[in-house]
Amino acid sequence: MTATNLKQSTEYVKPKMNWAKLEESENFANTVKLYRQGKIDPDNFRRFRLQHGAYGTRMTDDYAMVRIKIPAGEIYPNQLERIAHLSEAFSIGNAHVSTRQNIQLHWVVLEDVSEIMRGLAEVGLTSREACGNTVRNVMCSPLAGVCSEEAFDATPYAFATARFLLRNPMNQNLPRKFKFNFTCCEKHGMARITDVGLIPQTRDLDGKTQRGFKVFLGGGLGNKSFVGHQLEDFTPEEDILYTSIAVLRIFDRLGNRKNMARNRMRYLVDEMGWENFQNLVLKERMVVRATQSVIVKLEVDNTPKEIKRPIRITDTDGRSPPDGYSRWLKTTTFKQKQARFRAVFLTLESGDMTANQLRSLAKICSEFSAEGFARNGFSQDIVLRWVAEDDLPRLYSRLLEVGLANPGSLTMASPVGCSGTTSCNLALTNSHRLAKEIQRKFLELNLDEDQTLHDATIKISGCPNSCGQHEIATIGFYGGGGRVGKDMYPVYQLSLGGRADGEAMLGVNCLRVPAKRIIPIILKIIELFKKNKKQDDTLASWIHRIVKGNENSEIKSVNDFKKILEPLTIPPTKEQDKDFYADYGSDSSYHTKTGKGECAA
Amino acid sequence: MSREKTLRTTIDADSLRSELRDNSVRVIDVRREEDYKQSHIPNAANLPLANLLADDSPDKVLKTAQSFGIDDETPVVVYDDTFGALASRVAWTLQYIGHEDVSLLDVTYGQWKSLGLENDTKIPSFGKKDHSLNLHPDILATADYLEKAKEKENVILVDNRERLNYLEQHIPGAINIPYRTLASADKILRPKDELKRLLQNRNVKSDAEVITYCGSVGTLSGLAYYALKSVDHPNVKLYVRSFKEWKNLNRPIVKQENADYWDLSAE
């Protein structure tokens, strides 16, 4: 053997599924050339581009954002390393973890998108149908399989659904995008705010346990948001695919293809009325079942996963873990239903990771996770599951070395912020940076350690379109422009009391808060909570009582909040405070500027 | 045989080892002196990039080459531990003063070592040789040259810095091919077919004159120079003083407006 043939062997767990088709890369490259030569009109090209997962970029035709689908959020070490490389070669040397288990590469030269597709295909990943009027990434709770509240692990069902629908001719040209979310239980997940949401459940049938789901239809966040309706008490597992097909067929047939603003399925459900829609789905399902039962079946792979206990990596030299360990342990780790294992939620800032962090993460998850891969979650985060409790101090040290050991991922101190004016055509404000600023402030004030705040959430969108999911946040914001005379300043609409769990409801609008007053306003809300809370209250439970009109302290309604907070939102003059008139991340005066939207992120 | 040799831009580890055994090559290590002293490829000379940059006038470079026992015919191979960028800058300078047969080792010193290949701590000495001076202005771009050339039809200006730096400011008309695009996982340059495909996608035609530049001293863009040479681009020039000089001269600069891309960075 010659020296240069020697390859370093790394023993990584191999991806279970291959989502890729290599030829799509070449096809994309050729189509870009034809488009640049003016041989394809812009509308057709846009449709093609989006179907292949390349989204437009703020104020330019030269760049795209490539959205990499991570079905059910399962991402493997070799895939992390590949994304690291692709981000340096063709993007900004960073990758962004989204709220829908995608990983996004921004500011990619349109002519390089095909190279990214090729690089992804080599490790089994795809961006196909990550944008456009298609079935988007099929999500699954990052805790599926380890959550003590779940009836069973939904992951195989999410995989089977994703596999059945990817590239399926049935859903290449829907009236609008379409989203599936599988969750583990009522608490962890977003079954009620998506087109089709599924929560595993079981029932006893003739002495046998039967698997099935609660299926929620017609939910979703956006310019107008709705909470989904449950189709029936129990949808048995063998009906899941028929139900999905039936719903997609109805949406394809009846969804609004004319009005961009009302073409998501939730509007169809709203216009028809839930009972009519429900009946239609049940009828359509009978037809689907009768015509397709022999041919089509979800291929659910329920073989138990291999859990390797990694070689014991913890030193036994009795050294105490580095500073900050207990805080990190308390605010980022989740006890699995399997004894002595935890799921560790890495704290990112607005979902951003550097290429070096991705590379380190590949090694770390291979070493520390007994399943050998990572998951991305619903909150712009990455989750390492199956970490033995003995290994947590050592894991913490490793994460510290690469800047991934910040505390607070499972607390209010980790806000979600969409990409905002960093890259999005629709954005009005820099929500991305605002989320980072809030996070830094919260960690500085140790608010992640406050037990009464831990179940509250902060979510921020840079425009009314809800990519930051502000409407299901305890404290939510969406961006816009405010004005004093001729001068504009960035401002956010504050909403309170949103939640996505079993009692899902959308946040109630409170008032408009200038960007540079958001942190003081949040701190003021916390102060009011501390003053008025009852024993055992958390900020979330207290706010929920207020928005439901069940509170009897000083603040009984959202309107009472508004009265107290309003004085903090009065704009100074430009002479008094120039900074007020600039958005985060910018030192020049604020003005709104938007291009054409293509979908959310 | 020797004619072919002069055209090579990179050399693989196995070939270099056999040339070393034949004692038919001069190897230059461009890492810092302390790294070199710890270990290096046997019989390699040390020319830290910083030393070269301190005075890269043709006379000085010529003297250095001669002191390494390099004459007009000596095949020279350059390596670094910085993905080939520093080696490229040194190799380009030797070509500029008229040395024909210079190539880059296609792996870094780190990779060389991890392959388990021979290394040494012995510091060799070389008998001085004569080398002629024959400048090659056709591979050099100055600011003035660039200013005029970039207005021409068939000239492509390539910025090899990272994407965020490019978005923030670049020379008008430049396209951006970040240096990280050029390497593969185990080589300082991608295979030729891949590089060709990349350039084709970006519409860098093989008959175009290409001028590369980077942040300050022409290292990243030096690597791009060799990437283009490796796929037989006939007309490539290095703007060796690069963006730093361009800015200092107050020449025009453009930026990507209306977007806060820096806030996407986790650093």
Side-chain angles (χ1 to χ4, degrees):
Chain A
M1 180 163 44
T2 59
T4 41
N5 283 340
L6 281 168
K7 282 264 175 332
Q8 291 160 294
S9 65
T10 338
E11 278 181 44
Y12 283 157
V13 175
K14 295 272 170 317
K16 218 178 330 184
M17 317 279 278
N18 179 11
W19 306 100
K21 263 198 175 165
L22 186 59
E23 60 268 32
E24 287 174 350
S25 156
E26 202 177 329
N27 184 28
F28 195 90
N30 291 335
T31 309
V32 169
K33 278 177 201 143
L34 293 175
Y35 166 65
R36 292 294 198 209
Q37 290 160 7
K39 291 177 184 159
I40 297 180
D41 73 84
D43 281 348
N44 279 326
F45 177 72
R46 189 189 323 112
R47 217 168 293 131
F48 170 85
R49 165 166 64 70
L50 292 169
Q51 193 178 23
H52 289 78
Y55 188 60
T57 293
R58 189 170 176 78
M59 306 303 155
T60 169
D61 277 339
D62 298 339
Y63 298 92
M65 175 268 280
V66 179
R67 182 177 290 153
I68 306 162
K69 280 173 138 175
I70 314 294
E74 273 194 22
I75 183 145
Y76 289 76
N78 66 324
Q79 297 174 332
L80 289 165
E81 285 183 349
R82 179 56 59 95
I83 292 171
H85 170 70
L86 294 172
S87 79
E88 288 179 326
F90 303 110
S91 174
I92 57 170
N94 284 257
H96 170 71
V97 183
S98 86
T99 56
R100 290 207 78 256
Q101 297 184 317
N102 303 292
I103 295 184
Q104 299 179 169
L105 298 178
H106 287 274
W107 293 96
V108 174
V109 173
L110 182 60
E111 279 78 359
D112 283 339
V113 169
S114 57
E115 285 301 310
I116 291 185
M117 291 168 67
R118 180 182 292 271
L120 293 174
E122 287 167 357
V123 293
L125 289 172
T126 191
S127 57
R128 169 91 191 199
E129 290 151 48
C131 310
N133 298 334
T134 59
V135 174
R136 303 296 187 80
N137 191 34
V138 174
M139 295 178 65
C140 185
S141 165
L143 292 171
V146 303
C147 168
S148 51
E149 308 281 314
E150 72 183 357
F152 56 89
D153 183 358
T155 313
Y157 298 85
F159 272 149
T161 302
R163 182 150 72 174
F164 180 82
L165 294 172
L166 184 66
R167 301 187 182 84
N168 190 319
M170 179 172 70
N171 42 259
Q172 298 305 304
N173 186 23
L174 295 170
R176 191 73 182 93
K177 60 183 163 182
F178 199 86
K179 297 176 178 176
F180 281 85
N181 286 17
F182 286 82
T183 75
C184 46
C185 66
E186 286 284 359
K187 215 169 122 196
H188 308 116
M190 310 221 168
R192 288 175 177 80
I193 53 142
T194 185
D195 295 296
V196 182
L198 304 102
I199 306 176
Q201 58 172 339
T202 55
R203 69 176 175 192
D204 284 331
L205 198 70
D206 305 329
K208 274 172 69 183
T209 304
Q210 189 191 19
R211 284 182 165 195
F213 288 84
K214 287 184 200 169
V215 177
F216 297 89
L217 300 175
L221 303 180
N223 211 330
K224 191 154 191 268
S225 302
F226 295 95
V227 174
H229 305 267
Q230 189 171 347
L231 177 64
E232 57 203 337
D233 288 341
F234 188 92
T235 307
E237 60 173 332
E238 58 271 20
D239 265 348
I240 290 305
L241 183 60
Y242 304 136
T243 309
S244 304
I245 295 175
V247 174
L248 276 165
R249 278 165 51 149
I250 292 169
F251 178 50
D252 188 40
R253 217 158 56 221
L254 302 177
N256 191 331
R257 287 181 189 269
K258 294 208 175 74
N259 184 354
M260 259 292 269
R262 296 187 63 79
N263 53 12
R264 292 293 300 272
M265 191 177 79
R266 59 180 183 269
Y267 295 105
L268 179 64
V269 175
D270 184 49
E271 279 157 23
M272 285 179 76
W274 166 244
E275 279 179 20
N276 290 334
F277 187 83
Q278 181 184 31
N279 284 331
L280 201 59
V281 172
L282 296 174
K283 261 190 220 152
E284 185 81 14
R285 187 170 70 187
M286 288 198 326
V287 175
V288 172
R289 201 190 278 131
T291 51
Q292 306 209 15
S293 59
V294 192
I295 319 158
V296 186
K297 208 168 163 264
L298 265 195
E299 290 174 38
V300 176
D301 176 6
N302 269 321
T303 41
K305 95 167 75 203
E306 192 191 351
I307 293 300
K308 286 180 279 205
R309 172 72 175 85
I311 9 145
R312 197 181 165 81
I313 27 195
T314 310
D315 327 307
T316 41
D317 62 1
R319 267 184 308 175
S320 57
D323 284 354
Y325 172 70
S326 63
R327 179 176 174 186
W328 172 84
L329 184 71
K330 198 165 76 181
T331 61
T332 73
T333 69
F334 175 91
K335 268 188 196 277
Q336 295 186 189
K337 69 177 167 192
Q338 296 85 0
R340 295 185 302 282
F341 282 102
R342 292 211 189 186
V344 178
F345 285 67
L346 301 188
T347 309
L348 307 176
E349 287 190 338
S350 299
D352 294 336
M353 291 181 87
T354 65
N356 285 335
Q357 288 175 334
L358 286 164
R359 279 194 195 97
S360 306
L361 181 62
K363 295 211 172 59
I364 289 170
C365 78
S366 179
E367 276 175 45
F368 284 87
S369 163
E371 60 184 353
F373 55 84
R375 287 234 195 180
N376 55 354
F378 293 178
S379 310
Q380 303 178 324
D381 50 4
I382 297 261
V383 189
L384 293 181
R385 318 182 322 161
W386 292 97
V387 179
E389 288 184 337
D390 294 347
D391 293 333
L392 288 166
R394 177 96 180 89
L395 172 62
Y396 176 68
S397 307
R398 283 290 297 279
L399 293 172
L400 259 187
E401 288 164 16
V402 293
L404 289 172
N406 269 335
S409 57
L410 291 173
T411 74
M412 190 185 181
S414 275
V416 165
C418 70
S419 62
T421 51
T422 64
S423 67
C424 175
N425 250 328
L426 290 174
L428 298 160
T429 53
N430 193 345
S431 42
H432 201 73
R433 173 70 177 267
L434 174 60
K436 294 183 180 186
E437 296 284 341
I438 294 172
Q439 181 173 14
R440 288 166 197 169
K441 191 66 180 177
F442 266 58
L443 293 183
E444 182 192 316
L445 298 172
N446 293 337
L447 292 176
D448 56 306
E449 294 199 273
D450 188 331
Q451 286 295 325
T452 64
L453 303 181
H454 76 280
D455 62 346
T457 53
I458 300 173
K459 295 177 195 287
I460 309 163
S461 305
C463 79
N465 287 304
S466 292
C467 302
Q469 305 179 330
H470 58 269
E471 283 164 302
I472 52 165
T474 319
I475 301 180
F477 297 98
Y478 74 82
R483 194 181 281 277
V484 177
K486 284 202 304 290
D487 297 320
M488 292 198 76
Y489 59 93
V491 72
Y492 287 86
Q493 174 68 47
L494 162 68
S495 60
L496 295 168
R499 58 200 289 180
D501 59 2
E503 294 170 62
M505 68 172 282
L506 305 172
V508 179
N509 277 344
C510 180
L511 83 166
R512 277 156 64 89
V513 182
K516 294 287 166 78
R517 298 293 180 265
I518 291 217
I519 291 174
I521 286 273
I522 298 173
L523 296 177
K524 183 72 186 176
I525 292 172
I526 293 171
E527 182 194 315
L528 291 166
F529 159 67
K530 296 282 180 187
K531 192 171 142 203
N532 293 294
K533 79 186 199 56
K534 298 195 171 60
Q535 213 183 352
D536 300 334
D537 253 344
T538 64
L539 177 62
S541 68
W542 181 67
I543 289 183
H544 292 146
R545 267 209 315 281
I546 294 170
V547 297
K548 295 241 176 187
N550 297 331
E551 172 63 10
N552 51 19
S553 68
E554 172 193 12
I555 296 165
K556 294 179 182 57
S557 67
V558 172
N559 210 30
D560 291 343
F561 255 128
K562 190 175 168 180
K563 276 186 232 152
I564 298 176
L565 299 177
E566 224 157 22
L568 293 171
T569 65
I570 298 167
T573 65
K574 207 164 185 175
E575 289 68 38
Q576 286 168 328
D577 186 356
K578 196 159 167 261
D579 178 60
F580 180 91
Y581 290 85
D583 200 356
Y584 281 108
S586 160
D587 43 19
S588 58
S589 287
Y590 175 80
H591 56 281
T592 52
K593 193 155 192 169
T594 58
K596 192 170 157 45
E598 293 180 337
C599 67
Chain B
M1 178 72 192
S2 73
R3 196 63 229 151
E4 264 172 43
K5 263 188 177 175
T6 59
L7 292 174
R8 73 184 179 192
T9 47
T10 58
I11 178 171
D12 64 69
D14 288 326
S15 307
L16 177 59
R17 293 168 75 211
S18 91
E19 289 182 21
L20 276 170
R21 279 192 294 270
D22 299 346
N23 202 16
S24 60
V25 66
R26 176 67 64 240
V27 179
I28 300 179
D29 180 327
V30 306
R31 296 175 305 147
R32 293 176 310 174
E33 196 182 340
E34 54 263 45
D35 298 330
Y36 169 82
K37 277 183 175 159
Q38 282 193 5
S39 79
H40 50 260
I41 293 178
N43 212 33
N46 184 214
L47 173 54
L49 180 71
N51 295 11
L52 176 99
L53 294 177
D55 179 2
D56 64 350
S57 65
D59 284 343
K60 171 75 184 174
V61 176
L62 186 69
K63 275 190 194 125
T64 307
Q66 288 174 336
S67 74
F68 290 157
I70 296 170
D71 65 23
D72 288 81
E73 302 301 324
T74 315
V76 175
V77 172
V78 193
Y79 73 89
D80 64 16
D81 208 7
T82 317
F83 50 86
L86 309 194
S88 296
R89 178 63 168 83
V90 172
W92 179 88
T93 310
L94 289 171
Q95 285 201 309
Y96 178 66
I97 63 159
H99 192 79
E100 301 277 340
D101 191 352
V102 55
S103 49
L104 304 171
L105 178 60
D106 73 353
V107 293
T108 63
Y109 185 64
Q111 288 163 329
W112 173 278
K113 275 188 83 171
S114 71
L115 290 166
L117 302 181
E118 44 281 86
N119 55 79
D120 204 349
T121 51
K122 211 175 84 194
I123 295 171
S125 54
F126 311 102
K128 188 172 173 287
K129 288 218 171 140
D130 268 346
H131 194 296
S132 58
L133 184 65
N134 176 22
L135 290 188
H136 277 281
D138 55 313
I139 65 169
L140 167 77
T142 60
D144 287 336
Y145 178 84
L146 178 58
E147 183 107 66
K148 286 189 204 91
K150 73 187 181 66
E151 304 306 327
K152 288 191 215 150
E153 275 270 309
N154 209 20
V155 174
I156 298 172
L157 181 57
V158 181
D159 183 326
N160 299 112
R161 296 171 304 151
E162 290 167 13
R163 177 69 33 86
L164 284 172
N165 293 316
Y166 169 84
L167 290 171
E168 187 177 66
Q169 43 184 4
H170 58 263
I171 300 177
I175 65 166
N176 180 219
I177 302 181
Y179 63 95
R180 293 280 187 198
T181 315
L182 307 171
S184 65
D186 53 0
K187 295 279 159 62
I188 61 167
L189 292 178
R190 282 173 183 260
K192 288 180 184 194
D193 57 330
E194 289 186 18
L195 280 173
K196 279 187 185 152
R197 192 182 64 230
L198 282 165
L199 294 167
Q200 218 169 41
N201 284 344
R202 297 295 297 276
N203 213 15
V204 179
K205 298 217 167 68
S206 56
D207 60 351
E209 174 181 334
V210 183
I211 304 172
T212 67
Y213 77 89
C214 55
S216 61
V217 293
T219 47
L220 308 179
S221 48
L223 185 64
Y225 172 91
Y226 282 102
L228 285 152
K229 280 303 190 189
S230 77
V231 293
D232 306 322
H233 247 273
N235 190 359
V236 190
K237 292 181 170 55
L238 176 64
Y239 175 29
V240 71
R241 303 277 174 245
S242 280
F243 197 62
K244 193 176 174 188
E245 180 193 68
W246 187 264
K247 263 177 82 172
N248 288 339
L249 293 171
N250 289 319
R251 302 283 165 103
I253 288 170
V254 287
K255 72 174 287 193
Q256 185 73 35
E257 301 277 0
N258 297 313
D260 305 305
Y261 30 81
W262 278 101
D263 288 326
L264 280 167
S265 168
E267 271 175 319

